[in-house]
Amino acid sequence: MSIDFENELNDAQREAVTTTEGPVLVIAGAGSGKTRTIVYRLANLVQKGVDPAQILLLTFTRKAAQEMLARAETILGRPLHGTSGGTFHSFAYATLRRNAADIGFAGGFTLMDRADSENVCKEVRDELKLGKGDRSYPKKATLLDMITKSRNKELTIEAVMEREAYHLSPYLEDIQRIADGYAGFKRKHALVDYDDLLFLLDDLLAKNEPLRNQLQARYRYIMVDEYQDTNLVQARIVQQLAGPRGNVMAVGDDAQSIYAFRGANVANILKFPKIFEGTKLIRLEKNYRSVQPILDLTNEILKGATTKFDKHLYSDLKSDHLPQVIHPLSDQTQARLVVDQILELGRKHMLHDVAVLFRASYQSFPLEVALTRIGIDYQKFGGIRFHEAAHVKDVLAFIRLVINPHDLMAWQRAMEHIKGVGAKTVAKIYQAMHSGDEKYMAKMVKKHEQLRELLAELDRLRAGEKRPSAVLEAVLAFYQPILIEKYPDDYPKRQAGLEQLSQIAAGYKDMDQFIGDLSLDGDPDDEQRKENAVVLSTVHSAKGLEWAAVIIIDLVEDRFPSRKAMQRAEDLEEERRLMYVACTRAKEELRLFVPGSVYNRASGLSDPTLPSPFVMELPDTVFERLNESYGGGLETRRRPAYSLPDPVPPVYESRDEADARDVPEPARPKVDPSKLGFCKHKIFGKGKITAQLDANKYRVNFPGFGLKVIIGDYLEFL
C-alpha cells in the first residue's frame, strides 16, 4: 500500500519523512507530531525498497521503540522484520556480546543491574575498611550515584560533588577510592554495569576499524529519538556509527533538554549541524496539543534563551481566553487559591485532566494538606507524597507524642535513631513508662543518653506553649541533628520539605486539628492514572504528558528557578527549558501562580519575593493578570509590563535601603550590558551584575544567595 503523505502529514513533517539521504536534524517543538514523523519515515524507507535490516532506530525506552515499529508496520500493512530498534544500552549490549573478546572478556561477561552495582560498592567499601562505625557514612546507593554521575557527565567526582552534593565533601577521598575499587572489582570478576555498556562500545568502535566499517555498512539509515537527552558518550557512538557519510536523522527539541542531572548534554543537539557537515535542518512548529494563546506565551519564554534553534509554535486550535498569571499575597494563601482553581476547573474537566506542576516535590506539601482536608483525591508523580516522606513522619511522631504519650507507633518511630533500641526494647520501655517501672526506666536512661534527651524534650514540650508553630519549631530544633545523622546522604533536600511543614503549621491554632489534617491520607497511588483525581507532578515527571488544564505554582526566584540554578548560567538556561516544558503540557487552560511572599521559619514572618525572571519577561499581551485582594478574592489587574513585583514592593536588602525607598534616586546613565561587571554589597559580598533594570537598580547574582535587585547606591562597583 502507498503512504498518504498529503493527508497524514503537514509540510514540515513530509519534508522530514521524504528526506532520506544525508544528515538531518528535526527540531520537533512540543506537541508537533514527533513520533508520527519518525514512524512515517520508517515506513517510507521500507516502501522505497530499503532493507529493514539496514535501519537502526535508537530510543530512550524499549516501549517507545516497540510502539514506533508497530505503528510503522500498521502503515505498511506488513511486518517489519529485521529492523534494529531499541535503546542505546540494548544496542550496546548486543554488540558487545558478539565482540566480548575484543573488550577483554574472552570468556564473556555478566551485566549487573542497579542492585548488583550497589552491592559491589558496599563490598568494596567494606574491603577498604571505610566508614566502619560512622553512621553518617554515605549509603551504597549514594556511592553508586556519585560514581555513575561522574561517568555520565564525564566530570571528576569532585566536580560533581561540588555542584550537586557539597555536604558529602568530607568523604570525597573515600568515594574516589571506592570508585577505583569498584572499577577494579568489575574487571576482576568480568562484570559490566549499564554505564560500561556505552563506554565499552564507544571505545570498541574507536579502536576496532573493521567492526566500525562493518556496522557503518550494515546500518545505512540511523534514526535517533529525543536527541536532546543524549549524553556525550551516546553522541560519540552515533557519530561513529554514522561515519563520514553521516546518514543519520536526529529528532529532538533543544528547548526540552531538562535532564542535565542525568548527564544529558544540550550541546549535542545544538552542535549537530557542525559535527555533521551539510545537515538539513527541519523545524516542526505546528502544535497539535495546545490552543494558540498558550503557545503565544511559551514562544515568549523561548525568546529569552541565549543558545537555541529559533522556533515559533503555532496551532489551528483557537481560544478567547488568555493564560492567567495569578498573584497570591503569600505562599500560605497560594494553596487555598489553587484549590479554588481546581474546583472551578473541575466543573469543566475531569479532575484527572487537571494538573498542578512544581519545580521540586516539597513545594506541593501545603497543597496536599489542603486537598486532603476538603476531600479532593489526588495522585502525585515525582518525589513522594507528603505523608509518605520518612523525615516528615519522624517529626510528626514527636508531635503525636506531645499530644498522646500512649501512641506506641509514634514511640517506635521516635526511638528509631537510638542505637541499640529496637522494636522489642521500645515495647519494654513503653510498658515500663506506663506501669511506673522507675527502676527499668532509670537503667535504660543511664544506658542510652539519647533516650534521656528525648524524654526530657517531650516533657518540656508538654509543659510549654501548645501553638502548633511553636511546638513544631522546638521539635525541628531537636530533630535537626537526628535528621543529619539519619539521612546523611540527602538531608539538605529533606530540610526543604520540613520548611514547608513550618509554613503549614503557621496556619493552625489547634494542635489536634493540625496533626489530624496531616495524618489523613488516602490509599496508596496506583501506577496508572486514577480516575477523577487531580494530578500533582514535578515538571520533570510531567515531560511527555498533557492535560486539559495546567497550574504551575511557586513561580518566584529561588523556587522556580531554584536557588542553586541561579548561580550558573547553563543551569539557569535549563530552568528556562523546564518552564517551557511545564507550560506546553497544557492543552486548553494555563494558570501561573506567583506568590508575593514566602514564609520564613527563622523569623516567623513572610519575606517578599521577586517573580520568576521567566514571568517578569512576559509581555502583558500574552496573559491576564489576577491579584489576590486582602479580602481573599481575585481581582483582574492590567498593567504595562512587569517592571517590579506587585503587590509586594521592591526588595530592599537592608534596613537602610528600606528607609531609602522614598528618597529620590540620582539619575545614572544606563550601563552597556556587554560591560556589566562585578560589584560588592555589604551583606551579600561580591556578585556579578546581570542586568540594569532602570537608572539606579541592578539585578546581581550573589554566589550562595542567588539573584537580587539592589539600588545602585548600596553597591560598590568593581
Side-chain angles (χ1 to χ4, degrees):
M1 60 182 289
S2 61
I3 301 173
D4 182 2
F5 290 129
E6 288 302 320
N7 296 316
E8 296 295 330
L9 303 170
N10 64 39
D11 292 344
Q13 291 172 336
R14 192 179 309 115
E15 185 181 10
V17 167
T18 55
T19 304
T20 58
E21 303 303 318
V24 182
L25 177 59
V26 179
I27 299 299
S32 63
K34 167 182 69 74
T35 302
R36 168 179 288 263
T37 303
I38 295 173
V39 167
Y40 270 83
R41 190 171 191 265
L42 271 171
N44 182 46
L45 285 170
V46 175
Q47 185 175 269
K48 285 179 64 176
V50 173
D51 182 349
Q54 293 187 313
I55 302 172
L56 173 62
L57 171 63
L58 293 172
T59 62
F60 276 83
T61 65
R62 183 184 304 168
K63 182 181 176 184
Q66 290 172 340
E67 179 191 337
M68 289 176 187
L69 292 174
R71 284 174 61 178
E73 288 179 341
T74 301
I75 294 168
L76 287 166
R78 57 189 170 88
L80 200 63
H81 295 308
T83 299
S84 296
T87 64
F88 277 91
H89 291 88
S90 63
F91 174 76
Y93 180 66
T95 306
L96 294 173
R97 294 291 292 181
R98 292 193 298 268
N99 300 275
D102 293 336
I103 57 171
F105 296 114
F109 61 84
T110 301
L111 177 62
M112 301 188 294
D113 62 15
R114 170 82 193 194
D116 295 329
S117 297
E118 288 183 6
N119 290 333
V120 170
C121 284
K122 181 180 183 302
E123 193 156 329
V124 170
R125 185 193 70 190
D126 294 345
E127 210 173 85
L128 293 171
K129 296 183 170 55
L130 298 173
K132 202 169 183 181
D134 182 355
R135 296 181 68 184
S136 297
Y137 204 83
K139 297 180 178 65
K140 59 186 181 181
T142 301
L143 294 172
L144 182 61
D145 281 344
M146 296 305 294
I147 293 168
T148 195
K149 280 186 178 184
S150 168
R151 296 196 71 194
N152 278 297
K153 297 187 176 192
E154 300 187 30
L155 296 170
T156 63
I157 287 175
E158 183 177 13
V160 172
M161 191 175 285
E162 191 176 316
R163 290 183 182 191
E164 301 181 29
Y166 194 72
H167 62 287
L168 296 177
S169 53
Y171 300 104
L172 171 60
E173 192 178 321
D174 281 11
I175 295 175
Q176 287 175 331
R177 288 181 65 194
I178 291 167
D180 293 339
Y182 174 71
F185 187 100
K186 289 186 293 179
R187 280 194 301 272
K188 182 180 177 182
H189 296 90
L191 297 170
V192 167
D193 64 19
Y194 288 119
D195 299 332
D196 292 327
L197 291 176
L198 300 179
F199 285 98
L200 286 170
L201 177 60
D202 180 39
D203 192 53
L204 178 64
L205 292 173
K207 294 176 179 175
N208 191 328
E209 187 177 356
L211 175 65
R212 189 171 68 246
N213 291 339
Q214 177 194 331
L215 291 174
Q216 288 175 0
R218 178 180 174 185
Y219 298 116
R220 290 181 51 224
Y221 298 91
I222 300 170
M223 301 170 68
V224 189
D225 187 24
E226 303 283 13
Y227 201 77
Q228 78 280 351
D229 293 337
T230 55
N231 60 19
L232 293 171
V233 67
Q234 286 166 328
R236 287 197 300 271
I237 289 170
V238 171
Q239 201 173 344
Q240 297 199 72
L241 290 172
R245 186 180 71 255
N247 201 3
V248 55
M249 182 175 93
V251 183
D253 184 2
D254 55 298
Q256 294 188 68
S257 181
I258 60 171
Y259 294 121
F261 67 94
R262 293 183 192 164
N265 194 319
V266 70
N268 289 343
I269 193 167
L270 293 172
K271 292 179 179 176
F272 188 94
K274 291 181 181 176
I275 293 169
F276 294 97
E277 284 186 28
T279 292
K280 183 168 190 178
L281 183 63
I282 300 170
R283 293 176 173 84
L284 303 186
E285 297 176 301
K286 183 171 183 178
N287 178 286
Y288 294 90
R289 174 189 298 151
S290 306
V291 294
Q292 189 61 47
I294 290 174
L295 299 181
D296 290 339
L297 184 144
T298 56
N299 286 331
E300 291 294 335
I301 292 169
L302 290 186
K303 275 185 185 176
T306 55
T307 312
K308 62 187 175 184
F309 288 110
D310 286 328
K311 70 175 75 67
H312 186 84
L313 300 181
Y314 66 94
S315 172
D316 290 338
L317 304 171
K318 307 302 179 187
S319 173
D320 295 330
H321 302 291
L322 290 175
Q324 293 180 341
V325 176
I326 298 172
H327 286 259
L329 292 170
S330 71
D331 58 343
Q332 292 170 285
T333 60
Q334 176 179 245
R336 176 183 59 77
L337 289 175
V338 170
V339 169
D340 290 345
Q341 295 291 310
I342 290 169
L343 290 170
E344 177 197 321
L345 292 167
R347 290 195 283 271
K348 292 185 275 183
H349 313 285
M350 295 293 286
L351 280 180
H352 57 256
D353 213 8
V354 176
V356 181
L357 306 183
F358 31 86
R359 174 65 184 83
S361 180
Y362 74 85
Q363 291 171 327
S364 71
F365 290 173
L367 179 58
E368 291 178 52
V369 174
L371 290 171
T372 302
R373 187 187 304 144
I374 65 170
I376 296 179
D377 198 10
Y378 69 89
Q379 185 176 19
K380 186 172 180 180
F381 298 99
I384 54 177
R385 289 167 69 113
F386 180 54
H387 312 78
E388 296 165 359
H391 52 292
V392 172
K393 286 183 174 180
D394 291 345
V395 169
L396 294 184
F398 293 125
I399 297 174
R400 282 162 57 180
L401 290 175
V402 174
I403 300 172
N404 177 16
H406 296 279
D407 189 336
L408 175 58
M409 301 305 292
W411 279 113
Q412 288 177 344
R413 183 122 206 150
M415 293 190 206
E416 261 183 5
H417 69 287
I418 303 175
K419 194 174 182 181
V421 176
K424 290 182 180 177
T425 307
V426 171
K428 291 177 182 176
I429 293 171
Y430 179 85
Q431 181 61 32
M433 278 191 294
H434 292 91
S435 64
D437 189 342
E438 294 180 8
K439 186 177 178 183
Y440 180 79
M441 286 303 298
K443 173 186 164 187
M444 295 307 290
V445 165
K446 187 176 181 182
K447 185 177 179 182
H448 301 288
E449 173 63 19
Q450 287 179 306
L451 175 61
R452 185 191 66 74
E453 292 172 355
L454 171 63
L455 295 175
E457 179 67 16
L458 289 172
D459 285 342
R460 191 179 70 77
L461 288 170
R462 291 187 190 112
E465 187 183 347
K466 292 296 190 294
R467 194 163 42 92
S469 57
V471 173
L472 180 62
E473 184 66 29
V475 167
L476 290 177
F478 177 76
Y479 179 67
Q480 184 67 19
I482 300 171
L483 174 75
I484 295 171
E485 181 187 353
K486 195 172 178 182
Y487 308 103
D489 303 61
D490 62 352
Y491 68 84
K493 186 190 292 185
R494 294 175 186 267
Q495 185 68 47
L498 295 178
E499 294 290 337
Q500 290 296 89
L501 190 59
S502 293
Q503 181 212 313
I504 295 167
Y508 284 84
K509 294 179 181 177
D510 180 75
M511 278 290 288
D512 287 322
Q513 183 68 49
F514 173 62
I515 204 72
D517 284 352
L518 291 176
S519 300
L520 286 169
D521 197 5
D523 297 326
D525 289 340
D526 301 323
E527 287 199 10
Q528 301 300 318
R529 279 206 204 181
K530 289 166 70 174
E531 284 293 314
N532 218 28
V534 68
V535 175
L536 310 184
S537 178
T538 60
V539 182
H540 283 103
S541 296
K543 187 171 179 287
L545 302 176
E546 59 183 41
W547 294 273
V550 169
I551 297 168
I552 307 173
I553 62 172
D554 275 351
L555 283 166
V556 295
E557 287 188 1
D558 291 353
R559 292 196 174 186
F560 198 160
S562 67
R563 174 173 297 182
K564 191 166 72 170
M566 294 180 74
Q567 296 172 28
R568 298 176 70 243
E570 59 264 47
D571 292 345
L572 190 58
E573 282 293 285
E574 179 154 320
E575 295 287 303
R576 179 183 298 280
R577 298 194 292 268
L578 205 57
M579 179 71 172
Y580 164 77
V581 167
C583 293
T584 53
R585 301 309 95 197
K587 293 190 287 186
E588 299 173 32
E589 306 195 54
L590 176 63
R591 301 185 182 179
L592 312 179
F593 273 76
V594 185
S597 62
V598 295
Y599 182 74
N600 184 327
R601 183 170 69 87
S603 66
L605 303 172
S606 288
D607 293 337
T609 62
L610 279 173
S612 166
F614 313 134
V615 175
M616 293 271 276
E617 294 167 0
L618 295 174
D620 69 336
T621 53
V622 299
F623 66 88
E624 176 190 12
R625 177 171 177 156
L626 299 171
N627 284 18
E628 181 186 5
S629 67
Y630 289 102
L634 289 176
E635 300 172 337
T636 302
R637 186 92 174 270
R638 299 297 289 173
R639 53 180 292 161
Y642 277 104
S643 53
L644 286 170
D646 187 9
V648 179
V651 173
Y652 294 84
E653 302 299 354
S654 70
R655 174 55 58 190
D656 290 340
E657 292 167 41
D659 294 339
R661 69 179 65 176
D662 292 322
V663 176
E665 297 165 9
R668 206 175 272 201
K670 280 275 186 182
V671 177
D672 180 351
S674 65
K675 295 179 181 176
L676 292 178
F678 292 89
C679 63
K680 189 183 270 186
H681 186 273
K682 63 182 179 181
I683 295 175
F684 301 110
K686 186 177 178 181
K688 173 77 171 70
I689 302 170
T690 62
Q692 183 172 9
L693 300 181
D694 62 23
N696 195 27
K697 282 197 182 75
Y698 300 85
R699 179 178 286 121
V700 185
N701 190 0
F702 294 100
F705 296 96
L707 289 171
K708 302 288 180 185
V709 173
I710 308 283
I711 292 177
D713 293 353
Y714 297 94
L715 294 173
E716 177 187 345
F717 295 89
L718 303 178

